Amino acid sequence: MMNNSVGDAVFRYRGSTFDSMIESLGGVFGTFDAELVGRAQGFHWAIDLSACETAVLITGYHQRGFQFRAQWCSGATEHLSIVVPRRGGMGVGYGSCMAEAEPGKFLLYRNFERDRIAMQGQSNLIDELVLNWSLIQRTIAETFDVPFSGSLDLLPEVDLSTPVGRTIRNITEAVIDGIRDNGPLTQSPVAMAHITQALADVVIRMVPHRLSHLLNKKPHMIAPGHVRRGIEFMCANINKPITMPMVAAAAGVSTSALEAGFRAFKHTTPAAYLQMLRLRAAREDLLDSENHMLLREICLKWGFFQFGRFSAVYRAQYGENPSETRRRICGSHSRSSSGHVG
């Protein structure tokens, strides 16, 4: 763990103006508009960045406390931040609500849901581990068998005295130590992907949020036969034109009964469930580095006849465009191939 003494830390970026600090942070988050709340006397800051494919670590020092408002632009990167206070604290807020990181308490926040950020205390020193929101969205999609978009309403404050808090702290500190100063995790993309995935899994399964109640479904809440038959029909004909009356007929019920069954036991509609299955199948093709089909061919293969619409629903589900998935996988495959000796 980093020593709290600023003199022992090496910062690559320093300045004495608010605008220069925001410009440096824009290199991580993309362009966003920001303005100070009130006046900041003796404004001095220093930032160091450590980055790898799935996470960025920001270590920030601020001589005095201050607040600012942020307006995220369309080009900004959506992310989940885990704030680790080393000295002083940090708060994020929306409207009249403020969540804070302080000794004994981490802070979780999604940047697009917060408009006010406060640095607290003199000689403030903060580590902020930034995870791309697409990782969180993929984890949600794999954990819950339902389509999801919008706010997760994640509980922002994590008490480090609890078992959940200690678990999140241990994994977070392992990631921070592994990527700081070009650490060992930056040299192993596979290990980094596994540990950040583990961190995302712990957050989604252990920190309360909008979908947490689905984790506690009792065994007797198994979907009835007509819902299971409907899903089986969808899976068997996923790449063919399917209408909901066809699914209802295969399930042996009316369309209204099919709709009611899916809403009660899958918390979604039959049409949305079919779309999720098709998106999942398309994503598996995109994640296959040996699959050389064009994006439009994959789109048509799984029943999406409008590429723009497919891209929009794919991005809403997984937090990235189909082309970004393909580019990321092809890039990883190229790097691993170039590094192979045999």
Side-chain angles (χ1 to χ4, degrees), residues 97-265:
C97 299
M98 177 71 79
E100 298 182 341
E102 57 191 19
K105 189 165 60 177
F106 279 12
L107 178 63
L108 307 177
Y109 77 95
R110 177 189 179 202
N111 61 319
F112 282 14
E113 296 177 8
R114 298 291 180 259
D115 69 352
R116 188 168 77 260
I117 298 175
M119 297 299 176
Q120 301 158 354
Q122 302 296 311
S123 299
N124 171 286
L125 191 63
I126 298 288
D127 276 332
E128 184 171 345
L129 183 63
V130 178
L131 304 177
N132 194 290
W133 189 250
S134 63
L135 171 63
I136 304 301
Q137 287 188 298
R138 290 197 300 272
T139 304
I140 293 170
E142 292 166 3
T143 304
F144 304 99
D145 200 16
V146 295
F148 172 79
S149 61
S151 174
L152 188 58
D153 294 332
L154 191 70
L155 185 71
E157 297 178 352
V158 177
D159 185 346
L160 301 183
S161 67
T162 65
V164 170
R166 289 193 293 271
T167 300
I168 293 175
R169 177 190 62 196
N170 291 341
I171 301 176
T172 300
E173 293 287 13
V175 176
I176 289 174
D177 288 344
I179 65 176
R180 195 194 300 280
D181 299 329
N182 198 34
L185 286 178
T186 63
Q187 311 303 315
S188 178
V190 173
M192 187 63 193
H194 283 308
I195 195 169
T196 51
Q197 182 62 68
L199 180 56
D201 285 335
V202 168
V203 168
I204 293 303
R205 290 183 178 275
M206 297 185 179
V207 178
H209 54 75
R210 174 178 156 193
L211 301 179
S212 292
H213 67 283
L214 298 180
L215 293 169
N216 300 318
K217 288 194 299 183
K218 297 180 180 178
H220 70 264
M221 291 295 288
I222 297 173
H226 69 278
V227 173
R228 297 199 303 274
R229 289 192 297 273
I231 292 174
E232 289 170 0
F233 179 80
M234 291 178 184
C235 292
N237 299 277
I238 190 173
N239 61 340
K240 301 175 183 176
I242 297 176
T243 65
M244 290 309 105
M246 292 168 60
V247 178
V253 296
S254 66
T255 54
S256 60
L258 183 74
E259 178 98 7
F262 268 81
R263 287 189 180 278
F265 292 91

Side-chain angles (χ1 to χ4, degrees), residues 6 11 14-17 21 40-47 60-66 87-89 119-126:
V6 177
F11 294 98
R14 293 176 178 268
S16 57
T17 67
M21 183 190 75
Q41 300 294 330
F43 192 94
H44 293 282
W45 61 270
I47 291 174
Y61 164 78
H62 304 91
Q63 185 173 333
R64 299 177 186 274
F66 63 95
R87 185 168 61 235
M119 297 299 176
Q120 301 158 354
Q122 302 296 311
S123 299
N124 171 286
L125 191 63
I126 298 288

